[in-house]
Every structure is written in structure tokens, then in C-alpha cells.
Amino acid sequence: NVPGARDAIVAGKNGLLINDPQSGEELAETIRPLLDSDLRDSLSAAAPASVEPFQWPAVLARYERELISSLH
């Protein structure tokens, strides 16, 4: 649960987040549900669309729009 990751990840929908990366107990508790293949499949299926807004073509398009609008 760090900047960047928490911007793209919705816990339980497209990934999992932990608050204390030093806590082995929290990590184990968080990833234990991944033993369920349906959950793994669901998270995997949702992941690509979740990161699309952060890929370079999308970032560049937003940057260009902002640049053009600031010139007017």
C-alpha cells in the first residue's frame, strides 16, 4: 500500500495490498486467498485494464492535452 501501487490497485478487484511490508503475518494473511484459483483468475483478468491509464501512450496523451490547453 504505497504511492503508485495504491493508485492502480483496488484491493480484491485487481490485486492485493498490504500496509506493513515488514509483517510476514500480514503478508501471509493477505496472499492466503490466492490459493483460490477463481480469485487469482479474477485478479489477473482485471489487472491489464487497471494499469492501462498508467502506460506511456495514455500518459503522453494526457500530457499533450494539458500542454495544448495551457497554450490557449
Side-chain angles (χ1 to χ4, degrees):
N1 191 9
V2 297
R6 70 174 160 243
D7 295 330
I9 297 172
V10 177
K13 179 178 179 192
N14 61 357
L16 302 172
L17 296 169
I18 61 171
N19 292 312
D20 182 3
Q22 301 298 316
S23 171
E25 184 176 307
E26 182 182 1
L27 177 60
E29 183 178 310
T30 301
I31 65 173
R32 187 170 292 116
L34 293 176
L35 293 171
D36 177 354
S37 63
D38 289 338
L39 176 61
R40 286 194 315 272
D41 292 346
S42 173
L43 296 176
S44 294
S50 303
V51 297
E52 193 171 303
F54 303 101
Q55 293 177 352
W56 279 114
V59 172
L60 178 59
R62 285 194 309 273
Y63 179 77
E64 288 174 335
R65 283 193 303 273
E66 290 295 321
L67 181 61
I68 290 169
S69 71
S70 72
L71 295 175
H72 291 104

